Amino acid sequence: MRATLSIAMCTYNGARFLEAQLHSIAEQSRRPNELVVCDDDSTDETHSILNRFAKSAPFSVNIHRNPVRLGSTKNFERAIALTTGDLIALAD
């Protein structure tokens, strides 16, 4: 049986680069089973980009918005904890 793959992504005001990164993930020859995104209370267009992508992604996209900034390490800990895959790849 093939292992399931999760991507744990953390974002914070990364709208300028986010669409290219999401496109790259979606175009991989081995797509993830899920993308879990934890956003660290972005104030730019990050949320709209994520929501738009989630509607058309060829895999499950779970978006979680932190009500307060956790910082990089705690945000990644949260994202990893929310994944369900056998294998986890990190992205930020």
Side-chain angles (χ1 to χ4, degrees):
M1 181 177 216
R2 189 175 189 180
T4 56
L5 174 62
S6 296
I7 295 180
M9 176 186 281
C10 290
T11 57
Y12 174 68
N13 288 343
R16 186 168 64 148
F17 307 102
L18 189 54
E19 289 185 83
Q21 185 177 25
L22 294 170
H23 177 75
S24 175
I25 291 169
E27 294 300 314
Q28 294 298 306
S29 57
R30 169 58 164 100
R31 289 182 178 150
N33 298 86
E34 69 174 351
L35 170 63
V36 174
V37 183
C38 283
D39 181 73
D40 215 13
D41 198 27
S42 290
T43 57
D44 65 0
E45 294 301 311
T46 294
H47 299 285
S48 6
I49 294 168
L50 289 170
N51 288 323
R52 191 168 50 250
F53 178 77
K55 291 178 183 175
S56 63
F59 43 79
S60 171
V61 178
N62 302 309
I63 304 165
H64 304 274
R65 186 176 189 174
N66 300 331
V68 296
R69 292 192 189 127
L70 300 178
S72 178
T73 301
K74 292 290 182 189
N75 199 25
F76 265 113
E77 287 175 1
R78 182 167 190 241
I80 291 166
L82 292 168
T83 63
T84 61
D86 300 315
L87 304 170
I88 304 169
L90 304 180
D92 68 345

XYZ file of all heavy atoms in Angstrom:
712
model
N 0.845 -1.190 0.000
C 0.000 0.000 0.000
C 0.889 1.252 0.000
O 1.873 1.316 0.713
C -0.917 -0.029 1.217
C -1.833 1.131 1.314
S -2.903 0.931 2.744
C -4.354 1.607 2.102
N 0.505 2.232 -0.781
C 1.271 3.478 -0.910
C 1.058 4.365 0.313
O -0.072 4.601 0.743
C 0.809 4.198 -2.171
C 1.648 5.378 -2.537
C 1.186 5.954 -3.851
N 2.133 6.954 -4.300
C 2.005 7.634 -5.395
N 0.972 7.423 -6.187
N 2.887 8.531 -5.744
N 2.158 4.887 0.865
C 2.086 5.775 2.024
C 1.374 7.070 1.643
O 1.516 7.568 0.526
C 3.488 6.083 2.531
N 0.622 7.608 2.583
C -0.037 8.891 2.347
C 0.931 10.021 2.687
O 1.757 9.908 3.585
C -1.332 9.033 3.182
O -1.015 8.846 4.567
C -2.366 8.019 2.749
N 0.802 11.116 1.928
C 1.713 12.244 2.069
C 0.960 13.503 2.466
O -0.012 13.883 1.816
C 2.438 12.489 0.732
C 3.327 13.729 0.638
C 4.480 13.651 1.639
C 3.850 13.881 -0.780
N 1.417 14.119 3.527
C 0.885 15.407 3.966
C 1.959 16.472 3.794
O 3.140 16.196 4.006
C 0.504 15.373 5.453
O -0.524 14.463 5.700
N 1.521 17.672 3.447
C 2.421 18.821 3.465
C 1.932 19.749 4.565
O 0.757 20.132 4.590
C 2.457 19.561 2.116
C 3.043 18.650 1.044
C 3.277 20.854 2.241
C 3.127 19.267 -0.326
N 2.830 20.072 5.480
C 2.543 21.025 6.547
C 3.172 22.346 6.132
O 4.395 22.462 6.043
C 3.121 20.535 7.874
N 2.334 23.324 5.840
C 2.813 24.628 5.379
C 2.490 25.704 6.404
O 1.386 25.734 6.949
C 2.155 24.997 4.049
C 2.524 26.376 3.540
S 1.601 26.865 2.067
C 2.506 25.948 0.843
N 3.459 26.572 6.634
C 3.233 27.715 7.503
C 3.339 28.982 6.667
O 4.213 29.092 5.804
C 4.257 27.745 8.627
S 3.994 26.418 9.808
N 2.439 29.907 6.927
C 2.439 31.172 6.200
C 2.383 32.339 7.175
O 1.829 32.227 8.268
C 1.244 31.275 5.223
O 0.027 31.112 5.966
C 1.330 30.228 4.131
N 2.947 33.443 6.724
C 2.809 34.719 7.425
C 3.178 35.824 6.440
O 4.344 35.970 6.051
C 3.694 34.811 8.672
C 3.637 36.181 9.294
C 2.461 36.628 9.901
C 4.717 37.040 9.236
C 2.384 37.905 10.435
C 4.651 38.310 9.771
C 3.483 38.742 10.373
O 3.392 39.994 10.898
N 2.179 36.542 5.990
C 2.362 37.659 5.058
C 3.247 37.279 3.862
O 4.117 38.043 3.464
C 2.934 38.882 5.771
C 1.913 39.547 6.673
O 0.708 39.314 6.558
N 2.372 40.361 7.587
N 2.969 36.133 3.278
C 3.755 35.661 2.148
C 3.017 35.697 0.832
O 3.351 34.950 -0.088
N 2.012 36.540 0.715
C 1.176 36.578 -0.483
C 1.984 36.733 -1.759
O 1.655 36.143 -2.785
C 0.147 37.709 -0.371
N 3.042 37.471 -1.698
C 3.845 37.744 -2.897
C 4.405 36.452 -3.512
O 4.570 36.362 -4.720
C 4.979 38.682 -2.523
C 5.786 39.148 -3.691
C 6.691 40.279 -3.316
N 7.686 39.852 -2.337
C 8.905 40.361 -2.275
N 9.263 41.328 -3.099
N 9.754 39.944 -1.385
N 4.668 35.439 -2.697
C 5.271 34.197 -3.177
C 4.315 33.004 -3.151
O 4.621 31.950 -3.701
C 6.490 33.838 -2.315
C 7.475 34.951 -2.195
C 7.537 35.732 -1.054
C 8.336 35.239 -3.242
C 8.445 36.761 -0.945
C 9.253 36.269 -3.153
C 9.303 37.043 -1.993
N 3.186 33.165 -2.500
C 2.316 32.036 -2.192
C 1.715 31.351 -3.420
O 1.690 30.122 -3.491
C 1.212 32.486 -1.232
C 0.329 31.400 -0.641
C 1.151 30.309 0.039
C -0.658 32.014 0.347
N 1.225 32.108 -4.382
C 0.603 31.480 -5.555
C 1.592 30.587 -6.303
O 1.242 29.481 -6.708
C 0.007 32.543 -6.476
C -1.226 33.170 -5.859
C -1.914 34.132 -6.793
O -2.682 33.641 -7.629
O -1.685 35.350 -6.669
N 2.805 31.038 -6.463
C 3.822 30.224 -7.153
C 4.118 28.954 -6.366
O 4.257 27.863 -6.947
C 5.095 31.032 -7.350
N 4.185 29.063 -5.066
C 4.464 27.886 -4.241
C 3.314 26.882 -4.312
O 3.537 25.682 -4.463
C 4.708 28.295 -2.791
C 5.114 27.120 -1.913
C 5.425 27.534 -0.499
O 4.940 28.555 -0.025
N 6.211 26.743 0.183
N 2.096 27.354 -4.226
C 0.934 26.464 -4.301
C 0.853 25.796 -5.671
O 0.558 24.602 -5.772
C -0.348 27.237 -3.992
C -0.464 27.766 -2.560
C -1.652 28.711 -2.449
C -0.573 26.617 -1.563
N 1.124 26.557 -6.725
C 1.127 25.999 -8.076
C 2.183 24.897 -8.182
O 1.930 23.833 -8.758
C 1.389 27.100 -9.105
C 1.481 26.594 -10.502
N 0.375 26.212 -11.226
C 2.558 26.370 -11.296
C 0.773 25.774 -12.410
N 2.090 25.875 -12.476
N 3.337 25.128 -7.626
C 4.413 24.142 -7.661
C 4.004 22.858 -6.941
O 4.243 21.751 -7.440
C 5.671 24.719 -7.016
O 6.677 23.746 -6.948
N 3.376 22.978 -5.798
C 2.917 21.794 -5.053
C 1.883 21.026 -5.869
O 1.938 19.801 -5.970
C 2.346 22.205 -3.678
C 3.481 22.711 -2.779
C 1.604 21.048 -3.019
C 3.016 23.382 -1.504
N 0.958 21.733 -6.482
C -0.106 21.091 -7.255
C 0.426 20.400 -8.508
O -0.187 19.456 -9.007
C -1.174 22.115 -7.640
N 1.567 20.844 -9.023
C 2.122 20.287 -10.257
C 3.149 19.175 -10.036
O 3.698 18.652 -10.999
C 2.752 21.411 -11.089
C 1.730 22.409 -11.606
C 0.676 21.765 -12.491
O 1.036 20.968 -13.379
O -0.523 22.051 -12.282
N 3.386 18.808 -8.807
C 4.352 17.741 -8.538
C 3.864 16.413 -9.107
O 2.657 16.150 -9.165
C 4.571 17.584 -7.032
C 5.223 18.773 -6.369
C 6.602 19.042 -6.917
O 7.458 18.167 -6.943
N 6.822 20.280 -7.352
N 4.783 15.561 -9.526
C 4.388 14.251 -10.062
C 3.789 13.378 -8.962
O 2.933 12.540 -9.228
C 5.572 13.547 -10.719
O 6.630 13.396 -9.793
N 4.210 13.575 -7.713
C 3.604 12.881 -6.568
C 2.929 13.950 -5.726
O 3.548 14.643 -4.929
C 4.677 12.142 -5.767
C 4.218 11.590 -4.406
C 3.045 10.627 -4.518
N 2.877 9.852 -3.309
C 1.981 10.108 -2.359
N 1.161 11.143 -2.484
N 1.883 9.334 -1.311
N 1.640 14.109 -5.982
C 0.879 15.117 -5.227
C 0.627 14.635 -3.802
O 0.501 13.436 -3.560
C -0.461 15.375 -5.908
C -0.330 16.128 -7.197
C -1.686 16.389 -7.787
N -1.576 17.167 -9.006
C -2.426 17.067 -9.998
N -3.452 16.243 -9.931
N -2.273 17.818 -11.072
N 0.482 15.565 -2.887
C 0.164 15.167 -1.515
C -1.287 14.720 -1.424
O -2.118 15.048 -2.277
C 0.380 16.455 -0.717
C 0.086 17.544 -1.702
C 0.593 17.023 -3.030
N -1.580 13.972 -0.384
C -2.967 13.619 -0.089
C -3.668 14.786 0.585
O -4.884 14.916 0.494
C -3.023 12.383 0.806
C -2.420 11.185 0.112
O -1.215 10.976 0.171
N -3.233 10.436 -0.593
N -2.874 15.600 1.283
C -3.442 16.768 1.955
C -2.377 17.843 2.100
O -1.184 17.561 2.170
C -3.998 16.410 3.335
C -2.933 16.062 4.351
C -3.459 15.844 5.760
O -4.638 16.111 6.044
O -2.649 15.398 6.597
N -2.866 19.064 2.137
C -2.039 20.224 2.451
C -2.665 20.869 3.686
O -3.846 21.231 3.664
C -2.024 21.219 1.286
C -1.391 22.588 1.544
C 0.094 22.460 1.877
C -1.604 23.505 0.348
N -1.897 20.943 4.749
C -2.359 21.592 5.975
C -1.601 22.907 6.098
O -0.370 22.914 6.135
C -2.102 20.713 7.221
C -2.446 21.468 8.491
C -2.898 19.418 7.128
N -2.347 24.013 6.118
C -1.729 25.333 6.196
C -2.099 25.969 7.525
O -3.275 26.070 7.876
C -2.210 26.253 5.052
C -1.487 27.592 5.129
C -2.008 25.601 3.695
N -1.079 26.403 8.258
C -1.304 27.188 9.470
C -0.772 28.579 9.197
O 0.427 28.767 8.955
C -0.583 26.573 10.664
S -1.438 25.136 11.324
N -1.664 29.533 9.218
C -1.284 30.911 8.973
C -1.123 31.636 10.292
O -1.982 31.547 11.167
C -2.317 31.624 8.108
C -1.878 33.040 7.850
O -0.928 33.215 7.053
O -2.439 33.959 8.471
N -0.032 32.358 10.418
C 0.296 33.023 11.678
C -0.231 34.453 11.729
O 0.510 35.395 11.991
C 1.813 32.979 11.894
C 2.192 32.820 13.352
O 1.310 32.504 14.172
O 3.380 33.000 13.671
N -1.531 34.594 11.458
C -2.250 35.864 11.560
C -1.766 36.898 10.539
O -1.491 38.054 10.875
C -2.163 36.423 12.983
C -3.219 37.481 13.262
O -4.290 37.452 12.617
O -2.981 38.344 14.136
N -1.682 36.466 9.264
C -1.261 37.357 8.183
C -2.208 38.540 8.029
O -3.412 38.425 8.278
C -1.224 36.603 6.855
O -0.174 35.679 6.837
N -1.648 39.651 7.571
C -2.454 40.851 7.327
C -2.476 41.228 5.848
O -3.056 42.248 5.486
C -1.898 42.038 8.144
O -0.527 42.241 7.804
C -2.028 41.775 9.643
N -1.842 40.413 5.000
C -1.848 40.686 3.559
C -2.902 39.805 2.875
O -3.857 39.378 3.511
C -0.447 40.495 2.961
C 0.048 39.054 3.041
O -0.683 38.176 3.563
O 1.170 38.793 2.576
N -2.743 39.503 1.621
C -3.728 38.729 0.847
C -3.565 37.215 0.984
O -4.195 36.453 0.243
C -3.627 39.117 -0.635
C -4.032 40.554 -0.904
C -5.460 40.824 -0.463
O -6.354 40.025 -0.814
O -5.686 41.814 0.241
N -2.760 36.770 1.926
C -2.510 35.337 2.106
C -3.793 34.533 2.215
O -3.954 33.507 1.555
C -1.607 35.102 3.340
O -0.318 35.663 3.074
C -1.465 33.630 3.654
N -4.746 34.984 3.011
C -5.979 34.213 3.239
C -6.803 34.060 1.966
O -7.309 32.980 1.677
C -6.823 34.854 4.355
C -6.102 34.896 5.645
N -5.908 33.790 6.428
C -5.484 35.920 6.278
C -5.210 34.120 7.487
N -4.939 35.404 7.421
N -6.936 35.126 1.192
C -7.729 34.997 -0.044
C -7.059 34.064 -1.031
O -7.727 33.300 -1.714
C -8.009 36.317 -0.716
O -7.385 37.375 -0.166
N -5.742 34.107 -1.107
C -5.020 33.208 -2.017
C -5.212 31.761 -1.585
O -5.494 30.880 -2.410
C -3.520 33.582 -2.067
C -3.346 34.962 -2.711
C -2.716 32.525 -2.816
C -1.956 35.550 -2.548
N -5.084 31.505 -0.304
C -5.273 30.140 0.202
C -6.690 29.642 -0.042
O -6.893 28.503 -0.485
C -4.948 30.081 1.699
C -3.488 30.214 2.083
C -3.354 30.376 3.592
C -2.693 29.008 1.592
N -7.672 30.464 0.246
C -9.068 30.045 0.059
C -9.390 29.788 -1.407
O -10.077 28.821 -1.734
C -10.015 31.084 0.646
C -9.995 31.074 2.156
O -9.894 30.027 2.777
N -10.068 32.248 2.754
N -8.880 30.613 -2.278
C -9.086 30.422 -3.718
C -8.439 29.108 -4.183
O -9.028 28.332 -4.909
C -8.526 31.627 -4.469
C -8.891 31.700 -5.915
C -8.563 33.047 -6.566
N -7.198 33.520 -6.338
C -6.869 34.560 -5.574
N -7.810 35.265 -4.951
N -5.621 34.934 -5.438
N -7.229 28.853 -3.735
C -6.530 27.626 -4.098
C -7.274 26.392 -3.574
O -7.406 25.395 -4.280
C -5.095 27.649 -3.552
C -4.330 26.394 -3.848
C -3.817 26.166 -5.117
C -4.128 25.445 -2.868
C -3.110 25.008 -5.400
C -3.427 24.288 -3.137
C -2.923 24.067 -4.404
N -7.751 26.469 -2.344
C -8.437 25.322 -1.723
C -9.655 24.891 -2.527
O -9.974 23.700 -2.582
C -8.838 25.668 -0.288
N -10.319 25.834 -3.171
C -11.528 25.502 -3.945
C -11.226 24.678 -5.189
O -12.091 23.939 -5.654
C -12.260 26.783 -4.346
C -12.890 27.489 -3.175
C -13.555 28.775 -3.615
C -14.116 29.518 -2.413
N -14.666 30.817 -2.766
N -10.020 24.805 -5.729
C -9.726 24.109 -6.981
C -8.574 23.107 -6.872
O -8.211 22.488 -7.866
C -9.389 25.135 -8.066
O -8.219 25.850 -7.695
N -8.002 22.948 -5.712
C -6.847 22.055 -5.547
C -7.229 20.602 -5.827
O -8.335 20.175 -5.501
C -6.286 22.181 -4.139
N -6.300 19.843 -6.411
C -6.559 18.435 -6.705
C -6.320 17.521 -5.496
O -6.154 16.316 -5.649
C -5.569 18.134 -7.841
C -4.435 19.064 -7.597
C -5.046 20.310 -7.000
N -6.291 18.097 -4.309
C -6.118 17.347 -3.060
C -6.759 18.172 -1.941
O -7.104 19.338 -2.127
C -4.639 17.069 -2.770
C -3.733 18.242 -3.029
C -3.617 19.285 -2.125
C -3.011 18.320 -4.209
C -2.795 20.367 -2.385
C -2.175 19.393 -4.483
C -2.077 20.420 -3.559
N -6.896 17.560 -0.791
C -7.512 18.222 0.357
C -6.617 19.354 0.871
O -5.406 19.183 1.001
C -7.720 17.186 1.463
O -8.118 17.790 2.660
N -7.231 20.511 1.140
C -6.512 21.656 1.701
C -7.243 22.084 2.972
O -8.422 22.427 2.931
C -6.443 22.839 0.701
C -5.718 24.029 1.343
C -5.763 22.418 -0.593
N -6.521 22.037 4.078
C -7.085 22.441 5.375
C -6.341 23.681 5.847
O -5.127 23.631 6.059
C -6.926 21.313 6.402
C -7.597 20.051 5.939
O -8.754 20.074 5.563
N -6.858 18.954 5.929
N -7.075 24.767 5.997
C -6.479 26.053 6.372
C -6.853 26.378 7.815
O -8.033 26.353 8.178
C -6.963 27.173 5.433
C -6.652 26.821 3.980
C -6.347 28.514 5.832
C -7.391 27.672 2.970
N -5.849 26.698 8.602
C -6.055 27.061 10.006
C -5.394 28.418 10.235
O -4.219 28.596 9.932
C -5.444 26.015 10.933
C -5.967 24.647 10.673
N -7.119 24.176 11.249
C -5.523 23.667 9.854
C -7.345 22.953 10.802
N -6.391 22.621 9.958
N -6.157 29.338 10.767
C -5.643 30.689 11.018
C -5.452 30.880 12.516
O -6.412 30.768 13.293
C -6.634 31.717 10.474
C -6.142 33.128 10.558
C -7.132 34.065 9.904
N -6.585 35.393 9.800
C -7.179 36.381 9.167
N -8.338 36.183 8.569
N -6.622 37.572 9.118
N -4.229 31.161 12.916
C -3.954 31.405 14.331
C -4.526 32.765 14.720
O -4.309 33.749 14.015
C -2.446 31.395 14.597
C -1.802 30.080 14.231
O -2.429 29.040 14.288
N -0.542 30.134 13.849
N -5.239 32.834 15.841
C -5.807 34.116 16.274
C -4.740 35.090 16.767
O -4.948 36.295 16.770
C -6.771 33.733 17.393
C -6.301 32.399 17.869
C -5.625 31.737 16.714
N -3.591 34.564 17.176
C -2.431 35.365 17.575
C -1.199 34.709 16.980
O -1.190 33.511 16.713
C -2.282 35.477 19.114
C -3.446 36.216 19.737
C -2.123 34.112 19.733
N -0.170 35.488 16.792
C 1.063 34.944 16.210
C 1.753 33.994 17.180
O 1.957 34.323 18.344
C 2.008 36.073 15.830
C 1.460 36.858 14.683
C 2.490 37.797 14.096
N 1.781 38.647 13.142
C 1.820 39.953 13.158
N 2.547 40.591 14.042
N 1.146 40.643 12.269
N 2.093 32.818 16.636
C 2.789 31.810 17.431
C 4.290 31.835 17.210
O 5.039 31.298 18.012
C 2.276 30.408 17.065
C 0.793 30.137 17.272
C 0.456 28.725 16.821
C 0.418 30.341 18.729
N 4.710 32.399 16.090
C 6.118 32.326 15.718
C 6.362 31.064 14.906
O 5.558 30.127 14.911
N 7.471 31.033 14.229
C 7.771 29.968 13.273
C 7.745 28.568 13.885
O 7.073 27.665 13.379
C 9.136 30.237 12.640
O 9.472 29.209 11.753
N 8.460 28.360 14.972
C 8.562 27.017 15.557
C 7.212 26.505 16.035
O 6.811 25.385 15.685
C 9.580 27.018 16.721
O 10.850 27.450 16.209
C 9.712 25.639 17.336
N 6.500 27.285 16.804
C 5.196 26.855 17.327
C 4.184 26.693 16.199
O 3.325 25.815 16.248
C 4.669 27.841 18.370
C 5.467 27.872 19.631
C 5.283 26.605 20.421
C 6.051 26.673 21.727
N 6.077 25.385 22.414
N 4.266 27.529 15.168
C 3.355 27.415 14.041
C 3.594 26.101 13.305
O 2.648 25.409 12.930
C 3.507 28.617 13.108
C 2.320 28.798 12.200
O 1.211 28.371 12.495
N 2.550 29.434 11.080
N 4.844 25.729 13.097
C 5.143 24.444 12.458
C 4.713 23.278 13.342
O 4.194 22.276 12.855
C 6.625 24.317 12.103
C 6.907 24.708 10.684
C 7.660 25.823 10.391
C 6.408 23.949 9.627
C 7.918 26.195 9.088
C 6.658 24.316 8.309
C 7.409 25.433 8.043
N 4.901 23.383 14.636
C 4.445 22.321 15.540
C 2.943 22.110 15.380
O 2.463 20.977 15.339
C 4.774 22.668 16.993
C 6.233 22.556 17.332
C 6.557 23.027 18.748
O 5.631 23.434 19.499
O 7.746 23.000 19.108
N 2.205 23.199 15.289
C 0.753 23.109 15.129
C 0.397 22.475 13.790
O -0.456 21.593 13.716
C 0.115 24.490 15.235
C -1.394 24.429 15.114
C -2.040 25.729 15.541
N -3.474 25.513 15.634
C -4.368 26.153 14.909
N -3.991 27.060 14.041
N -5.649 25.906 15.053
N 1.042 22.914 12.722
C 0.752 22.379 11.391
C 1.039 20.879 11.334
O 0.225 20.093 10.830
C 1.567 23.123 10.335
N 2.174 20.469 11.866
C 2.531 19.047 11.867
C 1.512 18.246 12.657
O 1.090 17.162 12.230
C 3.955 18.852 12.426
C 4.980 19.428 11.442
C 4.243 17.384 12.718
C 6.384 19.587 12.026
N 1.090 18.752 13.801
C 0.121 18.049 14.643
C -1.224 17.855 13.942
O -1.953 16.905 14.243
C -0.077 18.804 15.962
N -1.549 18.724 12.998
C -2.839 18.644 12.308
C -2.818 17.734 11.073
O -3.858 17.473 10.486
C -3.297 20.052 11.905
C -3.660 20.965 13.076
C -3.820 22.406 12.582
C -4.930 20.482 13.763
N -1.643 17.262 10.675
C -1.569 16.391 9.498
C -2.024 14.985 9.839
O -2.026 14.569 11.001
C -0.129 16.330 8.931
O 0.732 15.761 9.907
C 0.356 17.697 8.514
N -2.393 14.230 8.798
C -2.855 12.844 8.993
C -2.051 11.844 8.167
O -2.304 10.646 8.238
C -4.341 12.708 8.617
O -4.494 13.034 7.241
C -5.220 13.602 9.471
N -1.089 12.311 7.387
C -0.351 11.425 6.481
C 0.692 10.575 7.172
O 1.125 10.864 8.297
N 1.111 9.530 6.474
C 2.197 8.681 6.940
C 3.531 9.423 6.853
O 4.418 9.229 7.674
C 2.306 7.400 6.088
C 1.033 6.579 6.130
O 0.467 6.393 7.233
O 0.596 6.117 5.052
N 3.657 10.248 5.815
C 4.864 11.040 5.592
C 4.487 12.514 5.621
O 3.405 12.885 5.167
C 5.464 10.713 4.215
C 5.778 9.249 3.956
C 6.124 9.036 2.503
C 6.924 8.781 4.854
N 5.372 13.347 6.161
C 5.093 14.778 6.264
C 6.242 15.562 5.649
O 7.409 15.356 6.016
C 4.906 15.222 7.728
C 3.806 14.420 8.400
C 4.630 16.714 7.812
C 3.736 14.598 9.924
N 5.918 16.444 4.723
C 6.897 17.370 4.142
C 6.569 18.762 4.663
O 5.392 19.119 4.809
C 6.810 17.345 2.622
N 7.594 19.543 4.948
C 7.400 20.896 5.464
C 7.572 21.916 4.351
O 8.411 21.743 3.474
C 8.402 21.188 6.585
C 8.407 20.222 7.763
C 9.442 20.653 8.783
C 7.033 20.091 8.385
N 6.766 22.965 4.394
C 6.854 24.056 3.426
C 6.532 25.357 4.147
O 5.670 25.397 5.019
C 5.866 23.835 2.280
N 7.253 26.415 3.756
C 6.933 27.739 4.313
C 7.211 28.803 3.297
O 7.683 28.542 2.217
C 7.694 28.006 5.605
C 9.184 28.168 5.414
O 9.707 27.816 4.353
O 9.837 28.629 6.362
